[in-house]
Amino acid sequence: GPEGGGWGHLEMGDALDALGLGRYAAPLLALGYDDTAVLTQMLNDEFDEMCSLVHMLPGHRCKLSAAVRSGFSTSPRRGAYP
């Protein structure tokens, strides 16, 4: 995406790293989930399917779901993560 395009085109790997979920970056990218914008457009069952495909743990699924709803913070410092 364009430089400075905002959170809608945040790289999936960067977004996951910021949430402490970097372990899922490679499997998600391998399945074609390479842009956070697609997450915001997913239906609930599509999100659940994606998480199941990469064997995402329930707690991590909740964390990612909350991040999607909040529109992702591009700055990790803004969240509840030290």
Side-chain angles (χ1 to χ4, degrees):
E3 289 296 323
W7 64 265
H9 290 283
L10 192 63
E11 288 288 337
M12 186 71 80
D14 292 340
L16 292 171
D17 282 342
L19 295 167
L21 302 178
R23 73 181 75 180
Y24 299 110
L28 286 172
L29 291 172
L31 292 170
Y33 299 107
D34 55 2
D35 192 317
T36 55
V38 73
L39 296 180
T40 66
Q41 297 159 8
M42 280 183 175
L43 302 175
N44 285 338
D45 58 344
E46 292 171 332
F47 182 84
D48 289 341
E49 179 186 19
M50 179 193 75
C51 292
S52 295
L53 285 169
V54 298
H55 309 290
M56 190 174 292
L57 297 172
H60 292 163
R61 187 181 296 208
C62 291
K63 187 184 287 190
L64 181 57
S65 178
V68 172
R69 285 196 305 273
S70 69
F72 288 99
S73 169
T74 54
S75 169
R77 294 164 194 253
R78 272 184 49 197
Y81 314 103

